């Protein structure tokens, strides 16, 4: 049996798929492929295919492809593409018009400093242009999967409390409401035995 192809996104996809199943959700509810394409430089069709479990593409994009994508999608205040001269000026003034033209055409490949200057100019993370498909998707989707994980913890926490007829929880102090599910999950092992002495779970009644 041939080995299943994997990349950096494969474990993220597997974890996300399992969590989505537990929450009775689908990938299209979690990931907007157009937004993901803008953030990663990967086409919407390709992202949709990977979210369906499609085979990874291990080929790294050429810098020229990423630069053209950034120029097309990160436009100026008037909605027009930045000129090559403007891009040269945006890159800390370290490039000439001709140098940017050669990079965009694929005639030349940039060194690390030049690549980083152009990435900063377009407000993307340093290293963005050299990310593989799997690396780019993993970087974008992993935080969303972590949000799913937190949501599932919250669902399980409230389910355990509701099973003991707890309808509301009030925490004293300056606890961040956004972190309350995680806080409740952390204190449940201490709280539940005490609750069970007074309010056993419905299944035990």
């Amino acid at each position: 049996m041939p080995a299943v192809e994997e990349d950096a996104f494969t474990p993220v996809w597997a974890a996300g798929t399992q969590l989505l199943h537990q929450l009775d959700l689908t990938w299209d509810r979690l990931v907007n492929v157009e937004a993901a394409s803008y953030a990663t430089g990967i086409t919407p069709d390709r992202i949709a295919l990977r979210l369906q479990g499609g085979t990874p593409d291990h080929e790294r994009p050429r810098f020229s492809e990423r630069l053209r994508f950034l120029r097309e999608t990160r436009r100026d205040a008037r909605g027009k593409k930045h000129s090559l001269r403007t891009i040269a000026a945006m890159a800390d003034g370290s490039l000439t018009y001709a140098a940017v033209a050669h990079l965009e055409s694929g005639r030349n490949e940039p060194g690390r400093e030049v690549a980083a200057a152009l990435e900063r100019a377009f407000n993307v993370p340093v290293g963005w242009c050299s990310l593989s498909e799997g690396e780019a998707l993993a970087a974008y989707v992993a935080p969303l999967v972590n949000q799913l994980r937190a949501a599932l913890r919250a669902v399980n926490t409230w389910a355990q409390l509701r099973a003991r007829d707890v309808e509301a929880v009030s925490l004293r102090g300056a606890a961040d409401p956004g972190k309350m599910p995680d806080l409740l999950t952390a204190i449940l092992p201490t709280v539940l035995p005490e609750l069970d002495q007074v309010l056993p779970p419905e299944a035990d009644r």
Side-chain angles (χ1 to χ4, degrees):
M1 183 175 180
V4 177
E5 286 192 56
E6 295 187 358
D7 63 6
F9 179 61
T10 305
V12 176
W13 175 83
T17 298
Q18 183 178 25
L19 290 167
L20 286 166
H21 178 72
Q22 290 177 273
L23 291 165
D24 197 25
L25 297 173
T26 53
W27 275 109
D28 62 315
R29 296 291 302 274
L30 182 67
V31 177
N32 180 310
V33 294
E34 295 294 338
S37 177
Y38 179 86
T40 63
I42 302 168
T43 65
D45 287 346
R46 185 65 196 157
I47 293 172
L49 183 63
R50 289 305 310 274
L51 293 177
Q52 294 168 10
T55 304
D57 180 357
H58 296 286
E59 184 177 352
R60 290 185 179 274
R62 296 192 63 188
F63 187 86
S64 58
E65 296 171 0
R66 287 299 176 94
L67 183 57
R68 287 195 295 271
F69 177 85
L70 289 173
R71 192 178 175 208
E72 179 66 38
T73 58
R74 273 69 170 176
R75 300 193 172 210
D76 65 20
R78 298 171 298 170
K80 295 184 177 181
K81 290 196 296 186
H82 293 288
S83 70
L84 298 183
R85 294 187 189 280
T86 300
I87 294 172
M90 289 164 56
D92 304 328
S94 59
L95 292 172
T96 64
Y97 161 83
V100 176
H102 289 165
L103 290 171
E104 187 184 53
S105 68
R107 180 175 175 181
N108 292 341
E109 289 293 319
R112 286 185 179 181
E113 291 185 6
V114 170
L118 286 166
E119 287 162 340
R120 285 192 293 267
F122 283 104
N123 197 30
V124 296
V126 171
W128 185 90
C129 288
S130 62
L131 293 177
S132 67
E133 174 188 272
E135 291 166 342
L137 282 175
Y140 182 80
V141 177
L144 302 178
V145 171
N146 287 336
Q147 291 177 24
L148 268 187
R149 202 170 275 119
L152 185 60
R153 284 198 301 269
V155 168
N156 290 336
T157 297
W158 288 114
Q160 291 185 65
L161 293 173
R162 287 292 297 124
R164 292 161 175 83
D165 291 334
V166 176
E167 297 183 356
V169 175
S170 177
L171 297 177
R172 295 180 180 178
D176 181 351
K179 297 180 179 178
M180 186 175 289
D182 287 338
L183 179 57
L184 287 174
T185 299
I187 66 176
L188 270 184
T190 302
V191 172
L192 289 183
E194 297 183 14
L195 280 175
D196 288 344
Q197 293 179 13
V198 181
L199 298 169
E202 291 178 357
D204 298 335
R205 297 178 196 173

